[in-house]
Amino acid sequence: MAFKTSVQKYTGSINKLEFGSGENSKALGGENVLPFYTFDGNIGGKPLIGLEILDVYPEKWLDELQQIYGDAANNAVQWARFVEEKFSPDFICLRLEGADPNGLNKSPEEAAALAKEVAQAIKVPLVVAGTQNHDKDTKLFEKVAEVLEGCNVILLSAVEDNYKKIGAAGVLAYRHKVAAESSVDINLAKQLNILLNQLGVKNEDIVMNVGCAAVGYGFEYVASTMDRIRLAALGQNDKSLQMPIITPVSFDTWSVKESVASVEDAPEWGSQVERGIAMEVSTAASVIAAGANAVILRHPGSAETVRKLADALINN
Amino acid sequence: MEAAQSANIFLDVPCNGHGTCGKCKLRLIQGSVDMQKNYHLTDAETRKGFILACSSKIKENITVEVPSSRAESLNHMKIEGLTATKDEAVFAKTMELIRKKGLLSGSCVRKDYLELDVPTLDNSLPDWERVQSHLQKTKGYTRVFCGLSILRKIPRLLRDSSFRITITHLPEGTDKTTVINVEGENTTSKLYGVAIDVGTTSIAAFLVDLPNGNIIAKASAGNAQIKHGADIINRIVYATKGDGLRELNRAIIQETLNPLLRKLCLEAQIEKDEVCAFVAAGNTTMMHLLLGVYPDFLRREPYIPAFVTSPEMKARELGMEINSETPVYILPSVSSYVGGDITGGVLSSGLWSSDEKVLLLDLGTNGEIVLGNKDFMLTCACSAGPAFEGGEISCGMRASEGAIEKVKINRFDFEPELKTILNKKPQGICGSGIIDTVAELFKAGLIDSKGRISRKINSKRIRFDEYQIGEYVLAFAEESGIEKDITITDIDLDNFIRAKGAVYSAVSTLLNSIGMDFVEIDRILVAGGIGTNIDILNSITIGLFPDIPLDKYEYIGNSSLMGSYLTLISQDARKKAEEIASNMTYVELSTHPSYMNEFVSACFLPHTDVNRFPKVMEKFLKER
C-alpha cells in the first residue's frame, strides 16, 4: 500500500484582510493551517514584508542606514518613493515619530497632511504607525483616518486605552483597518478584539499586533502567545482570534543592546550594522514561523533575507 | 495620623497610611498643616478644609474634626449571622445536620455541685484533697488537678458556703479532670461560653448558655487592627516593624475583643467570670495576631504558618476579660491562607458529609474556596483584596448604616434606584452594591467589557475628569449623606474586576486541577461578609460566579461563626473540625501554571471566553 501523508485539518481559518486601494492592494491572512504548513492545506498569502520610514530625519538610526537613504530621508515623501522604487517592499510603514509629545510634538493636522502626501506618492499600501503615546495617538489617528479616507491604510495601533475613538474614526467612519495592540497575552489580545467588535468594528477589519520582543529578550513568550492564538483560531474556531497578525519587529530589535552597542564599546561583537540586521532577521524569521502574517523591518537587507527565507519555505 | 492613633481615635485607614485610599479625611478647624496634594481630595473638599491625616505633617497646634460618618460607621457595622431571618433558617438547618451526625456531645467544660463533708478533728483532710477525694468517690475521677488560683480561693470559699460549692472543670476521658473555677452554692445552671469569628475586617460573637446551647447574646465590632492596614499582608508587614506585633495583638484583644465581651455580658446580665469556654475562628493570620505569634513567614515562600492546630491556652495568658482559667480554643487552620474560618465553614455547612459535590465560597478580604463532598476536599485561597468589603473603592464602605446595598439602573435615562442599609441617606457603597452597580452599568451599556465607562452616552450621571478618568454618579452630594457625590470610577471598576477575576479564576483553576467542569457542581454555598443582599444573578452576569442554574446557589451567612459556635458546644464537633482540617488538600494557586492565564481571561465582563457564560450572553443578546 502506498504511503499516504496524514493531514491536519482545522475547523477555523484566518480572516483575509485587504489593505491599500485598487490593484495595488495587498492581502493578509486567509490560511487555514499553521504557518508554512503547505503540506496540510492552504497557507494563504505570503507573509508581507514592510519597510519602516519616519516623518522626520532618522537621526537616531545607524549611519549605515542613513547612508542608504541619503538626502531622501529628509523628506518622508521622497523617502517613501525611494524605498518603493529601490527595494519594492510589500508595504511601507510610516511612523509618525515627529508627533511624539516628548519630541517635536507636531500637530495631528501636520502629521496627517504629510501622511496624505506619502500615501499619494506611492503605489504600495501604507501602514501608519503612531507615537506609542496613547493620548496623542488617539488624536493623531482620528486626523490621519480623516485625511487618508479612501486609502484603506492600517492604523498601528489601537490599544485598550484608545480603541474606542480609533475604532470609531478609523474604521467605522473612514473605512480603514485597525491594528489591535496587546502586550503578549492571548487573553488581552482576545479581549481587545471583542471590545472593538462590540464597538461595531467587524472582525474582518481588524489585524492584531499581539506584541513583540527581540529574540533573547523574552521572545519565547511572544512565540508561545502567537502559537496559542493561532491554535485557538484554527483548532477551536475562535472567531475573536481569527485576525491576521502584523508585527512591527524593527520597533523592538533596533533598541536592544546587540543593535545599539557600537564597535568601540563591544569590539568582540563585530560590525554593529550586521548585528542589528541579525537581530532583526532572527526575530522576524521567528515571528513569521510563529504566526505573523506581516512584519515591519528597518534595514532593506533584513527585508531581502526574510523574503528569501519565506519564499524558500513556501516553494519547497 | 500618628497623633490620632496615639490618642486612640479611630481613623479608618485601609491603606496603612500610604496616601492611597483617601479614607482618613479630617476637617481642619484651627491651625494649618503641611500636606502633599492628593487626588483623593476634591477642590471643593480642600476649600472646606478637609485634609488627609496620613499625608499631613503637623507644624503647630491644630484642631481637627473627625467626620462622623467615618467614625461611627464601625460601631454600626452590619455583621452577617446576627439578625436576618434568613440566618435563623441557616442556623436551624445546621443544627439539624449536626444532630443527625451525632456530633452534639456537650462542651469541654462542666459544672458540678458538690456537698463536701465538713472537716472535723477526725476527718482532717486538707481542703483541696477533700475536693479531690469527693470527686473520686462520687464521679470516679482518679486524677484531679487545679491551678494555684483555685488553692488561693478555696479556704475561705468553702467555709463561707458551708462546704457546698460548685466546681467548673474540664474532664478528659473518664478518670481525669482539671478544676478551673470554684464558686459557693449551686451555680450549675450558670455556665456560659463565647464563640467568635475574627475577620480581617470585623468580629462577630455569640454568648452561649452552655448547658442548653442557647445563644443568649450576639454582638459585633470592627477589627481595631484596621488602623494598621486593610488586608492581611499589610497587617503582617506592620507586625514586623518595631512594636507592631504587640500593637496588633493589643488592638484585637484590648480594643476589640474585650469591649465586645463586656457588651455581651452586659446584654445577658452575667458576670464575666461565668464565661468558662471560649472558641475563636479566623484566618491563619488573624489567629497568629490574636495569639501574638510572629506572622511574617506566612507571606514568604514557602508560606509556612507557625501553627495550625490550637495550643492549650488560658484566657489570662491572652489578656481576655473572662474567667482567667478559661481554656481558649481556636479552630484548626489548613495552611497559611486557608484558616480555621474555613474549617468552621466546612463543618457547619455539612460539606464534609455531603453526597453531592459542593463548592463553598467564602468572600471576604481573602477569598477562600473549598470544593468537595464526603469523599474529598480541596481548598485554595485567592487574594481578592478588600473590594468586596468596600476597600480600595473610592466611595466604598463596609456594610454598615447608609451603605448602598442594592442598585438598579434605568436602561433609558440611566438614573439609579438605590437601596441603603437601614434606609439611611447613602454614605458609600458596600460589596453587594458594587456587584449590582457593575452588573447594571454593564447591562445598560454604560461600561464596556473591560469596565471602562462609555463616552458615547450623554447623561448627567457620567462625567470625566482632567485625566480622562470616567465616573458614574450614584448619588449627587445633595442626595447623599456626605459632603460629596458618591460615584464609581474607572479605577474602582478596574479594581473590582480584578477582585472578581481572582475569585472566578481560583474556582476554575481548582476545578481544572481535578479535571472537573462547572456543570458537575451540585451546589454552591456562598459565605462571608459580602453576604446578605448579594444578588446571585448579577454576580453571574459580571462573571464573579459561574453560569450555572440559580437554584444551585445558597447563601449561608457567617459560616465561620457558626463553626466556632458548634465547636464551643460540642467536643465531638471539635474533633470533627480537626479531622476536616487535616483532610483538606490545599492547592497553591500561585505556583499553578494556568492560574495567571485564567486570571487574565477572567478580568473581563463577563469573561474573555464568553462560551463559559451562555445564559448571560443569551440574555444580553436578547436585550440588545
Side-chain angles (χ1 to χ4, degrees), chain A residues 135 160-161 163-165 185-188 190-192 194-195 198-199 221 228 240, chain B residues 448-450 452-456 597-598 600-604 607-610 624:
Chain A
D135 282 342
E160 227 177 81
D161 279 337
Y163 79 90
K164 281 184 186 162
K165 284 194 173 165
D185 184 302
I186 182 171
N187 286 302
L188 296 179
K190 182 167 168 175
Q191 288 172 7
L192 186 54
I194 294 174
L195 291 173
Q198 286 173 353
L199 189 72
Y221 218 62
R228 289 172 60 208
S240 44
Chain B
D448 67 17
S449 292
K450 268 280 174 186
R452 269 170 221 267
I453 290 170
S454 171
R455 291 169 178 278
K456 282 196 295 192
N597 184 36
E598 282 286 342
V600 177
S601 63
C603 290
F604 204 59
H607 195 279
T608 308
D609 184 2
V610 290
R624 289 210 164 165

Side-chain angles (χ1 to χ4, degrees), chain B residues 26-128:
Chain B
L26 300 176
R27 206 163 79 149
L28 197 59
I29 291 171
Q30 204 178 18
S32 62
V33 293
D34 279 337
M35 188 183 64
Q36 290 160 343
K37 196 168 158 42
N38 189 299
Y39 64 90
H40 287 293
L41 285 178
T42 64
D43 289 344
E45 284 175 320
T46 313
R47 273 197 301 279
K48 283 184 181 158
F50 278 98
I51 58 170
L52 287 186
C54 67
S55 322
S56 301
K57 259 206 188 113
I58 299 174
K59 51 182 187 183
E60 58 186 11
N61 283 339
I62 58 165
T63 312
V64 292
E65 178 188 68
V66 181
S68 62
S69 62
R70 301 288 173 200
E72 283 171 11
S73 69
L74 209 70
N75 303 324
H76 293 286
M77 214 185 274
K78 188 176 155 189
I79 306 296
E80 308 311 325
L82 292 181
T83 44
T85 44
K86 240 193 248 173
D87 297 318
E88 304 271 325
V90 173
F91 182 82
K93 205 170 154 192
T94 305
M95 291 312 289
E96 177 61 30
L97 172 98
I98 297 297
R99 199 169 295 125
K100 235 194 265 166
K101 296 288 165 190
L103 291 182
L104 280 182
S105 65
S107 121
C108 65
V109 50
R110 279 182 60 94
K111 265 191 171 183
D112 280 298
Y113 174 60
L114 311 178
E115 292 188 353
L116 303 171
D117 295 333
V118 181
T120 61
L121 284 174
D122 295 329
N123 180 355
S124 60
L125 265 181
D127 292 342
W128 173 243

